[in-house]
Amino acid sequence: FASFFNTISDALSHAQPKITEANQTVVRTWSSANATCPVKDKKIHHKPYLALLDDVTARWDTIKAVCELTSQPYSPQSTIGKTIDSKAYLLLRCQPWRRFVLLMSLTNGYHDLRVHMYDRSGSVVMPCVNIVSDPNLYLHIISCLVFGNPECLGYDPSILI
């Protein structure tokens, strides 16, 4: 799926050159390198299926967004729901400069996309988007994550890292 997401992002940047103007120096790519081995952390060992990165090694303080995949339907009480909760906790714990974090889940045969937004007081899950029947919304979500400015990903503009 990392190659698929990166191919989509590359096609979007070629089809719509204006999409990359906001962050010309940032090259965000999806990586599945930690799908089978945990991200380095002294206390907690978790594996994000896909991590959005700025061309660096995945650490919980460098991951921009996470996408989890399952063929099963989504439920907040299911394994995927708990997995997303755990990854959001790790991102917020290791990135105190973030106002919120965004995670995605592809469920139900990898056709149902949800965006999960977590801040320090709770979370919100958007309604399901079927990527087959609503590809434009899917492309909009992917392009916002990959090409959006740091504030779109929850970074506090008053804090310089």
Side-chain angles (χ1 to χ4, degrees):
F1 268 91
S3 296
F4 175 68
F5 279 12
N6 289 329
T7 301
I8 293 291
S9 300
D10 191 46
L12 282 168
S13 69
H14 284 85
Q16 298 289 329
K18 289 184 179 182
I19 204 167
T20 58
E21 288 177 5
N23 287 323
Q24 293 177 353
T25 60
V26 177
V27 178
R28 292 188 193 119
T29 56
W30 292 97
S31 170
S32 60
N34 291 97
T36 57
C37 62
V39 172
K40 292 182 182 179
D41 187 274
K42 293 177 183 176
K43 296 180 183 178
I44 302 172
H45 302 285
H46 278 279
K47 302 177 276 193
Y49 194 87
L50 296 176
L52 184 63
L53 301 166
D54 284 348
D55 197 28
V56 293
T57 302
R59 294 187 325 260
W60 290 112
D61 64 340
T62 62
I63 295 173
K64 308 300 180 209
V66 169
C67 181
E68 292 294 324
L69 292 88
T70 183
S71 60
Q72 303 300 312
Y74 173 80
S75 165
Q77 296 82 21
S78 67
T79 302
I80 190 77
K82 294 174 184 176
T83 298
I84 294 281
D85 289 344
S86 298
K87 309 277 170 60
Y89 164 76
L90 289 168
L91 290 170
L92 288 168
R93 178 183 70 116
C94 296
Q95 298 183 37
W97 50 85
R98 299 276 294 262
R99 291 180 173 172
F100 60 87
V101 293
L102 297 172
L103 296 93
M104 293 190 315
S105 61
L106 271 174
T107 60
N108 201 24
Y110 315 115
H111 292 105
D112 294 344
L113 173 71
R114 285 179 179 80
V115 176
H116 307 254
M117 186 191 87
Y118 290 77
D119 64 13
R120 301 190 188 280
S121 63
S123 66
V124 185
V125 181
M126 73 174 261
C128 171
V129 173
N130 185 290
I131 66 172
V132 175
S133 62
D134 200 352
N136 289 336
L137 184 53
Y138 162 71
L139 293 174
H140 183 80
I141 291 167
I142 292 292
S143 64
C144 286
L145 288 171
V146 174
F147 303 112
N149 62 38
E151 290 83 9
C152 291
L153 296 176
Y155 287 86
D156 186 338
S158 67
I159 299 175
L160 297 175
I161 308 168

